[in-house]
Amino acid sequence: MKILLAAVNAKYIHSNLAVYSLKAFAGEYREQIEIGEYTINQKKDEILKGLYQKRPDILCFSCYIWNISYVTDLITEAAKIMPYTRIWVGGPEVSYDGEAFLNKYPQVEGVMVGEGEETFLELVRHYTEGRTSLEQIPGIVFRDRGKGQLCRTSPREILDMSVIPFPYEKIEAFNHKIIYYESSRGCPFSCSYCLSSVDKRLRFRKLDLVYRELQYFLDHRVPQVKFVDRTFNCRRDHAMGIWTYIRDHDNGVTNFHFEIAADLLTREELELMRTLRPGLIQLEIGVQSTNGRTIDAIRRKMDFARVSEVVSEVHRGKNIHQHLDLIAGLPFEDYKSFGRSFDQVYRLKPNQLQLGFLKVLKGSYMHENAGEYGCVYQSREPYEVLRTKWLSYDDVLRLKGIEEMVEIYYNSGQFSTVLTEIEATASSPFMFYETLAAFYEERGYFSVSHARLRRYDILLEFLMEWDRGHLEEYKERMLYDLYLRENLKSRPGWAKDMGSYRNKIHAFYQREEETPRYLTEYKGYQARQLCKMTHIEVFSFSADAGGEKEERWILFDYKTRDPLTNDALAIEIPPRELEE
């Protein structure tokens, strides 16, 4: 009996924790179970060929919002060329209404509902040994071909997290991929848009097991481990134990990602965070909205004042990347209200601000009450909101433009200095991105793929209309942003000529060759090599936004970079160090 667990991921860099957990749990049959990972960016014919050549007796697909159409197309075609292969599916996109899925896709034998580890193991036993009938396996909806009907078995009892085997024994198979790890299941909250709110049965993996498995990642110097726990810090001792362990066993390389509720963080946890290596952890914080009525309507518990306090304190530590989320299309949130939410969250200065759009997921409370909210959404995945009582489709389109501007100019981290200057003169951040998006729309720039340097040119073009009075200051800060990221081979056309400073710059590098003071990491290199490997730029801007301008010499060291932003180390050189 040959069984294939097929995962169709969104990107190559992703891995599918579910299929690896299923195989690990069914370890006694590991020789008969194979995993096939693909991506939605591959040609379907290519994947179909791969599935066919593996000749599975049982083919199981992991189904999610991002791959369900792709998977159902594969199922339809695979059944034609592999008529004797039994096809099973599982995952959040099919668990809610298994009967409807089976009625729509007669090629499919059954649906694994909810947690799959024990269910999959019992299905393997059923097909390989015939120990039990399908009727005796909890947690499935299946096609009884003898009776010509669909059958749903009793719900499966929740699984003890600590009995699930570690799925990453062959870590070399995950080179160049993000590792996903699970230390708990369930969620204590009841957010109406989220399927995690359906499962209130919180369970935690024993910490001694977690420590052993984290050490495995650390020993193998895995670049990033993403915890998929829905609210990682909902139990303080569990979170403290893990954060303390990774601090005390830090290998200087591995980064850990956590999704948390910021307002639940305690003083003890915040004090621990101050002691972490910059870049050791990153936090994802779902704010969603700052409108109190909206928060109540989506059954979310959040103290935004406390969130602001915590995010600001973490930000001051300059050692933890913070990613904050907003959702457009929620009840009682119109365009103006969303703009206020945006401004309040933006001013917290997260490293990334995710502007997302409500997805009305089957089985969620929001799905049940969509009619009450006048929520019209896409019929196919990702079931994204089109309009609500409070938000028109025109508003949604405007917010889509703003989302793209935020991604390009804020989340990229490539314009941080000039944005700080712009924000000092803008009446609100939301209004700035709204106006910039309208400029892109008017000029037809949304329909064109632009290189990075072209994005600077477009921003300068916009600023000439936005605020010509500060144009020279904006140019200086854009040039600073450019050199923070890379040692440019050619200067942009709007940058001033540096010819008059050439002799002073040469003299500086000559002294650094003879007696290194600023570039000690480059010891042994000649002056002309130092000049190529680093960069000196003379700027004329104020130390603070809106302050008095002065000439400032900045040395960019590309060997030393900020672990959070990847910016080069920028060192201001006092004038006395620049005598020829």
Side-chain angles (χ1 to χ4, degrees), residues 165-219:
F166 185 59
Y168 293 113
E169 291 181 352
K170 295 182 179 178
I171 198 68
E172 61 278 2
F174 298 90
N175 287 341
H176 312 299
K177 290 195 174 187
I178 297 171
I179 296 290
Y180 295 93
Y181 182 77
E182 187 176 39
S183 74
S184 68
R185 284 183 183 171
C187 183
F189 301 116
S190 304
C191 304
S192 63
Y193 51 83
C194 180
L195 287 179
S196 295
S197 64
V198 175
D199 188 358
K200 288 285 176 293
R201 302 162 298 181
L202 269 170
R203 294 146 284 157
F204 297 85
R205 195 164 176 80
K206 291 179 180 177
L207 280 176
D208 59 340
L209 281 176
V210 175
Y211 296 157
R212 190 158 64 241
E213 290 159 1
L214 294 182
Q215 191 59 52
Y216 180 84
F217 295 140
L218 292 164
D219 290 343

Side-chain angles (χ1 to χ4, degrees), residues 351-368:
N351 299 88
Q352 284 204 315
L353 173 54
Q354 174 89 34
L355 198 170
F357 293 81
L358 175 66
K359 293 171 178 59
V360 184
L361 305 178
K362 291 178 290 185
S364 68
Y365 178 82
M366 186 64 69
H367 179 261
E368 295 174 9

